[in-house]
Amino acid sequence: MIITRKIEVYVSDEDKERQKELRHTIYVWRDEVRKVANMIVAHKFAMQEIRNFMCLQPEVRERFLKVDDKGREKMAYHVSDMLIKEPGNSEQNVTYRMAASLLKGKVPADIYSCLNQTVANTFKETIGDYLSGKASVRSYKNNISIPFSSKAIANIHKADDGRFYFTLFGIPFACRLGRDRSNNEAVIDRCIGGEYKICSSSLMIDDARKKIYLLFCVDMPKKDVELDKGKTLTAYLDVDVPIRFFVDIKAKQAYDSGKHTFAIGSKEEFLHRRLQIQDAVRRCQIANRYTNGGRGRKKKCQAIERWHEKEKHYVETKLHTYSKLLVQEAVRNRCGTIVLLNQKAREDAAKTNSSNGEPFILRNWSYYGMKEKISYKAAMYGIRLIEDEAIIE
């Protein structure tokens, strides 16, 4: 199972001028990657939809006509129908050649190769949503990460000072683990020892904090536990408790009555700190009325933005904590499957019963974030995760 660890890194060259130059190089790579990622998306979308472009001249549009078995002419539907039938002109290779022509000599070849593969796979996964109107064509901004293969990470080791060092395309980096609550040190140690396999990773630049992060992807083996494939743990969000779950009883009956269920966390415990943070945001907003003019809006809102970041990190921590406890309960009960119930019916009921029309605990929660974190934690133990809507309806 592949997991991603976010680790702060910095250029470890002792020469300050050289360090500044190398850091600038990484920023240049990021800008070039962003431009070409948008070009790849535009290229692929144009190949997909060029048959419908009304601005083309008739003789150009005729190139996209094809004859069916009955001799009738119709517009080509598949991208492969429009490409030149020669080696090197596959749907994937066309955008790679375009990326190579734009980035060769500016960015290492490993980066634009991985970039083309990543963007192309993302486009392929979401093309159905584009065509059905569920999503717009994706665009990439400065928060795009710089992808590279596992082979690009060289000479990773632990020095005498206890820090981890590695080289990426000739640039020396060091890891800054801090308090290491995520146990990243143990993960990197196992990668060096060969217990875990390093996968394609990426660098991300945080412009606000002026920091560089390594999105370190690692293939971790599944933990060997005894599970009963026929046993199910069913979980759902509740108005009074962040997560309720039950094991191997009639799901509909337990969901409706709330009996025979177990709770993870509580409304007071989850909301106590978050409400404090929200009150701090309101106090900062009120205090901003009395600030002097000048220096711009960004300067005046720095304190508010810091509190918003604290709130986001608090919710992320709680999501990790609750999802870990839920998966541990599934392992303890030897459940081979975790079922997450759809929340729509429960949210509608919460809105009806709420005085102000908003489900307070659900409004302050993140169902998608919880599902995402339960998913990869469950996969570590070989537990299957499914969403079951039929139980509610």
Side-chain angles (χ1 to χ4, degrees):
M1 191 196 105
I2 297 176
I3 65 163
T4 303
R5 294 297 180 98
K6 185 178 179 181
I7 302 171
E8 184 185 347
V9 296
Y10 60 94
V11 178
S12 62
D13 198 296
E14 294 181 358
D15 186 349
K16 296 298 181 182
E17 288 299 321
R18 174 68 176 163
Q19 188 182 87
K20 189 176 180 180
E21 288 177 12
L22 294 174
R23 188 179 174 89
H24 176 70
T25 300
I26 299 169
Y27 275 78
V28 171
W29 287 355
R30 192 274 306 273
D31 293 339
E32 294 293 338
V33 163
R34 185 200 68 239
K35 293 175 188 175
V36 174
N38 287 317
M39 287 288 290
I40 293 172
V41 171
H43 209 79
K44 287 196 166 292
F45 187 77
M47 286 194 296
Q48 186 74 34
E49 293 297 313
I50 196 170
R51 58 196 169 84
N52 296 322
F53 286 8
M54 301 304 296
C55 59
L56 298 178
Q57 296 179 0
E59 58 268 22
V60 178
R61 286 174 60 82
E62 286 176 5
R63 296 183 184 180
F64 304 112
L65 291 173
K66 69 175 184 178
V67 181
D68 61 12
D69 297 336
K70 297 181 180 180
R72 294 176 300 186
E73 289 185 343
K74 62 179 183 178
M75 298 299 290
Y77 182 76
H78 297 289
V79 176
S80 57
D81 296 330
M82 307 176 193
L83 299 175
I84 301 171
K85 306 300 181 184
E86 293 178 1
N89 282 285
S90 65
E91 190 177 343
Q92 182 93 350
N93 214 28
V94 166
T95 49
Y96 170 77
R97 289 168 62 186
M98 184 267 296
S101 66
L102 293 173
L103 294 179
K104 192 171 184 180
K106 299 179 182 177
V107 171
D110 185 82
I111 290 179
Y112 57 74
S113 177
C114 292
L115 175 68
N116 177 64
Q117 187 175 3
T118 302
V119 176
N121 289 342
T122 303
F123 185 87
K124 188 176 181 180
E125 291 170 2
T126 54
I127 184 62
D129 292 336
Y130 299 157
L131 299 178
S132 62
K134 294 180 181 178
S136 59
V137 179
R138 185 169 183 174
S139 62
Y140 292 88
K141 302 179 182 179
N142 280 339
N143 58 358
I144 187 174
S145 55
I146 305 169
F148 51 84
S149 68
S150 58
K151 296 178 182 178
I153 300 177
N155 193 28
I156 182 169
H157 65 282
K158 190 173 186 179
D160 296 335
D161 59 3
R163 294 187 178 183
F164 291 97
Y165 294 85
F166 65 95
T167 305
L168 184 67
F169 304 116
I171 301 177
F173 283 98
C175 300
R176 185 178 283 127
L177 299 178
R179 286 177 283 184
D180 196 23
R181 291 176 177 174
S182 301
N183 204 24
N184 289 328
E185 183 177 357
V187 172
I188 300 175
D189 270 330
R190 289 169 184 170
C191 289
I192 295 172
E195 186 178 347
Y196 295 166
K197 181 183 176 184
I198 301 174
C199 303
S200 296
S201 304
S202 57
L203 284 178
M204 186 187 76
I205 299 173
D206 188 338
D207 287 321
R209 297 184 177 183
K210 297 182 180 179
K211 292 181 179 180
I212 302 174
Y213 293 95
L214 171 66
L215 304 183
F216 191 51
C217 296
V218 179
D219 188 1
M220 299 176 64
K222 291 181 181 178
K223 297 182 181 180
D224 190 16
V225 293
E226 269 190 51
L227 298 173
D228 183 353
K229 292 185 178 179
K231 203 170 183 182
T232 301
L233 181 145
T234 306
Y236 59 92
L237 300 188
D238 194 63
V239 179
D240 297 317
V241 177
I243 301 178
R244 285 193 184 275
F245 70 93
F246 46 88
V247 180
D248 269 359
I249 59 175
K250 290 184 178 180
K252 178 67 175 174
Q253 178 184 353
Y255 184 82
D256 288 339
S257 65
K259 297 178 180 178
H260 309 294
T261 63
F262 302 92
I264 294 178
S266 66
K267 178 178 179 179
E268 293 75 19
E269 180 261 346
F270 170 66
L271 290 178
H272 172 70
R273 179 61 178 156
R274 187 161 193 187
L275 291 178
Q276 286 183 328
I277 295 172
Q278 291 175 357
D279 286 340
V281 171
R282 281 191 288 271
R283 288 195 300 270
C284 288
Q285 289 170 338
I286 293 170
N288 268 7
R289 299 176 188 172
Y290 309 106
T291 55
N292 296 326
R295 296 183 179 272
R297 180 182 181 278
K298 186 177 179 180
K299 186 76 174 176
K300 293 182 175 62
C301 295
Q302 278 183 345
I304 296 174
E305 291 301 322
R306 281 198 298 269
W307 283 113
H308 281 313
E309 284 294 312
K310 285 182 183 293
E311 184 179 11
K312 185 173 71 174
H313 293 159
Y314 172 76
V315 173
E316 284 290 305
T317 300
K318 286 298 180 183
L319 288 175
H320 278 294
T321 302
Y322 294 149
S323 59
K324 181 181 179 181
L325 291 173
L326 182 67
V327 172
Q328 285 177 346
E329 287 294 334
V331 172
R332 188 173 65 83
N333 289 282
R334 300 177 59 242
C335 297
T337 305
I338 294 177
V339 177
L340 294 181
L341 300 186
N342 187 282
Q343 287 300 118
K344 189 174 186 308
R346 208 160 188 85
E347 285 185 10
D348 292 340
K351 287 179 182 178
T352 303
N353 298 330
S354 179
S355 58
N356 61 356
E358 290 186 350
F360 189 63
I361 186 73
L362 294 174
R363 177 176 62 82
N364 282 274
W365 193 243
S366 172
Y367 173 72
Y368 178 77
M370 182 192 75
K371 182 184 76 171
E372 187 181 45
K373 288 169 177 58
I374 291 174
S375 176
Y376 84 82
K377 287 182 174 66
M380 292 177 66
Y381 295 93
I383 300 174
R384 189 165 61 108
L385 178 69
I386 59 175
E387 288 185 85
D388 195 341
E389 301 181 7
I391 292 177
I392 299 174
E393 299 171 2

